[in-house]
Amino acid sequence: MDTVRLSAVWLCLLVSACLAAAPAEEENPEFWRKQAQQVLRAALSRKLNTNVARNIVLFLGDGMGITTMTAARILKGQLQNRTGEETVMTMDTFPHVGLAKVYCVDFQIPDSAATATAYLSGVKANLNTIGLSAAGRNGVCHTQKGNEVTSILKWAKDAGKSVGIVTTTRVQHATPASTYAHSASRRWYSDADLPKPAKEGGCTDIASQLLNNTDIDVIIGGGRKYMTPEGTRDPEYPSDVSAGGKRTDGRDLISEWLKMKEGKVAHYVWNRTDFDAVDPAATDYLMALFEPGDMRYEVERDPAMDPSIVETTEKAIRILRKNPKGFFLLVEGGRIDQGHHASRASMALHETVALDNAVARALELTSEDDTLTLVTADHSHSLSFNGFPFRGNSILGKSPLFGTDFLPYTTLMYGNGPGHKITNNKQLKDYVQQSAAPLESETHGGEDVAVMARGPMSHLFHGIQEQTYIPYAMAYAGCIGHDQSHCQPARPTATTTTTVTPRLENSAPATPLAHVTPVLLCALLAAMMP
């Protein structure tokens, strides 16, 4: 019987291989030659942009390794009813690309706190620590004092620029917190999270540092439960005790923040209606906290209550760009990481597509002449893309090959995680990809991540560098920090020729019948097998 099953599988593969024809134009060698020549000519005509970066926008895909980028590119095309592989993401068009090494001082594979300290403050750190050098120890309060390091957000503020953070997680989470906080533990969100020795040692929680450390003009994300006293009912979920205030010190940090901004036009909002009513032209400060904790995944977001990352990015830029000295903005697609941890690749990839859409909107709102835009990741995940799927096969589906156990497997798989042994798995967005090793939560990966750059001095992002190189290169481009050698007057203006992409995402061929037929035949053959 096994021989019959194996024969049927091979027959399925043979039929599929014969029928899965590529788009007709791709069968013509001239198609590829012309495409390559277009890219070559664009590269030859490109001039280095050596302007001063008045503005710096850093897009951070938390957990967005190269495999995630590739899979998201395919998903973005397939969401448009295309085969997907030939899709061009906005971040794909950036002319300069390098790689960053992501290890931290004490671990081979890092977390988001240590990496954020590296690419924001330029100093490698220990796992789980925020805004500290490696002399700061994880969870040990007394090691904080004297080991604090400042971030490029503070450098930009000190230079007179406006600054902002936008995230899809809580604003006290590792990535945004690393712009303003110094903490021996990334998990000290509110004072209720501080252990007794930390309180006795004089350490303060991350939420309180959001107010006290750096004057941030725009703060957008989730995390309102860490800002209000214990027992405070959440305005959106008043009957949910877990959504209520967490602070044990009785402080209402939202009220304190508003009081600190007296004399300025400052708005605190927690819902879509109030957010839309904020006029960027008449606003000096904005704090928008849309959820008690992290914001909802993009595919679960209620657009009537919460804006998208595209909309929050736009609002932030419109507020910040009024400053004649420019701005620094960090935009984090933070839930890419959380989707991966749950082995829910669908969630992670939709979050990545949403981040790419935010990149596109930011490029429309800024000029390549004076705005340095970066897209990078803090680390990757154990995600792999495997199995010889046919062209146009659903990126979230199964490989047409079967394992030696005659069972199918997912095209996307994790090295570890909750998908080791799947029972009663849900479909679509809640589907859990298979994994090799059993863990309750999938882990990060340790390989290098991409750094894509566009705008003034974007050519500085090249080769394979330490992650700590990133903030110094950004600071040099923007004439902030100690190195002011790029700030001489009367610099000649140079322009950058944007890479001509030979095939835009909306020009990809629609999925032909030839791609659907093999799948139907496979299903029919599988149903016929005993």
Side-chain angles (χ1 to χ4, degrees), residues 441-475:
S441 177
E442 180 268 352
T443 70
H444 299 166
E447 71 271 19
D448 301 346
V449 296
V451 184
M452 296 149 282
R454 177 184 187 270
M457 307 305 290
S458 56
H459 57 282
L460 296 179
F461 299 91
H462 68 290
I464 302 175
Q465 311 294 345
E466 294 286 359
Q467 204 167 31
T468 50
Y469 170 74
I470 294 173
Y472 299 116
M474 287 192 291

Side-chain angles (χ1 to χ4, degrees), residues 388-453:
F388 294 112
F390 299 113
R391 179 71 178 274
N393 191 64
S394 171
I395 192 63
L396 297 170
K398 299 175 182 177
S399 169
L401 294 175
F402 282 37
T404 57
D405 56 1
F406 299 107
L407 294 175
Y409 57 89
T410 52
T411 300
L412 295 176
M413 301 179 73
Y414 290 96
N416 55 58
H420 177 68
K421 185 176 182 180
I422 299 175
T423 57
N424 300 321
N425 203 13
K426 297 178 182 179
Q427 297 298 314
L428 303 175
K429 65 184 178 64
D430 295 321
Y431 190 86
V432 176
Q433 263 69 23
Q434 293 171 308
S435 66
L439 287 178
E440 291 184 1
S441 177
E442 180 268 352
T443 70
H444 299 166
E447 71 271 19
D448 301 346
V449 296
V451 184
M452 296 149 282

